[in-house]
Amino acid sequence: MLTSPGTPPAKRTYDARSRRERAEQERADTRDRVLDAARQRFLAHGYAATKMIDIADEAGVAIASVYRAARSKAELIEMVLQRATTGDDPAQQLSSSPLAHPAYPPIAAEPDPQQQVRMITDRIAEVLDRVAPLWSVLRDAAGVDATAAAAMTTALQRRAASLEVAVSLLPEDRLRESPAESVDTLWALSSPETYMMLRSARGWSHTRYRDWLRRSLLVQLLIPVPPEPVHHPREERRRP
C-alpha cells in the first residue's frame, strides 16, 4: 500500500509472548546453574566455608544472579535439597513430596502389598542416593544458622508427610502395627543418617542398601500371609 509523502513508516511488530518465554527460560537456566554450583560448593567445602560469591564464581554468573535465585545460603541449600528430592524445579515444587510425585500412581494401583513395599523402597533408595550427602550439609548448617535450622525443620516435616503418603498406599489390614507406628518404622529404617552410615562407615553399595531395606520393610511393615494348605491327592482318596 502506498503512503503519502511524510508519513512515518509503520513500527515493526514483535512477539511479546516469545520474548517473555525466552526471558523466563534464561532466568530458569541461570537458576539451574546457580543451584548446580551451590550443590558442588556445599558438598566440596561444607556450608560454613561456602560464600555466595564462591557460588557465583562457580556458576559463572554475577553475584546478583545468585541473590535472585535465593535470598540466602540457607534458602539455597533448601532449594538444592528439594530439587534432589523431587527432581523438579524447586521454585515451583517446594511443597511437593517424592511419594506424591507423578511417578507414584502405579504404587497405589498395585494390588500386591509386598510389591507395593518393594516399589516404595526402590523410590526411597533412589531419592536417598541424591539427598543423603546434602542432608548432612543441611544438618551442619542448622547448627550455625537459624534460618538453616528452620529450613531443616521444614525438610523434616516434608519427610514425615512423604512417609505418611507411603504408608497410606498400603492396605491397613495388612499393616503389622498402627499406621502411625508404621510411619515411625519407615522413618527410622530409611533415614538419611542410616543410609550414609551404611554406605560410608560400613562400605555398603547402593544396591546392598536397597535390598536390605526391601527385606527389612517387608518384615517390619506387613503381616505375613499364611501359606495356603496343600492338599495331597492320596489323602483326598483316603477320606471316608
Side-chain angles (χ1 to χ4, degrees), residues 75-107:
E75 188 172 321
L76 268 178
I77 184 60
E78 184 180 16
M79 293 175 71
V80 169
L81 182 67
Q82 185 64 11
R83 186 172 69 163
T85 301
T86 64
D88 293 317
D89 180 356
Q92 303 296 327
Q93 298 291 337
L94 282 174
S95 63
S96 65
S97 157
L99 288 161
H101 195 273
Y104 262 62
I107 296 178

Side-chain angles (χ1 to χ4, degrees), residues 208-239:
R208 183 178 179 185
Y209 170 83
R210 183 204 63 198
D211 292 346
W212 167 81
L213 188 61
R214 278 181 176 180
R215 295 191 303 271
S216 300
L217 291 180
L218 284 170
V219 171
Q220 295 298 325
L221 291 181
L222 299 180
I223 298 171
V225 178
E228 295 183 1
V230 178
H231 298 290
H232 298 285
R234 291 182 180 179
E235 293 179 358
E236 292 289 341
R237 288 197 296 269
R238 290 175 185 173
R239 291 178 183 176

Side-chain angles (χ1 to χ4, degrees), residues 1 8 11 15 20-23 38 44-45 70 93 101 107 113 119 130 147 162 173 177 188 190 200 203 206 213 227:
M1 181 176 67
K11 294 182 179 180
D15 188 340
R20 285 195 302 271
E21 289 176 350
R22 286 196 300 272
H45 303 284
Q93 298 291 337
H101 195 273
I107 296 178
M119 295 167 74
R130 300 191 303 267
T147 306
S162 176
D173 62 351
E177 305 294 345
S190 67
S200 300
H206 173 77
L213 188 61

Side-chain angles (χ1 to χ4, degrees), residues 191-206:
S191 71
E193 291 84 359
T194 298
Y195 180 83
M196 288 301 294
M197 178 183 67
L198 292 174
R199 291 292 315 275
S200 300
R202 302 302 299 166
W204 284 24
S205 67
H206 173 77

Side-chain angles (χ1 to χ4, degrees), residues 124-155:
I124 288 175
E126 173 196 335
V127 171
L128 284 174
D129 194 41
R130 300 191 303 267
V131 164
L134 294 166
W135 186 261
S136 300
V137 174
L138 180 60
R139 184 184 57 204
D140 293 343
V144 297
D145 187 325
T147 306
M152 185 168 188
T153 298
T154 300

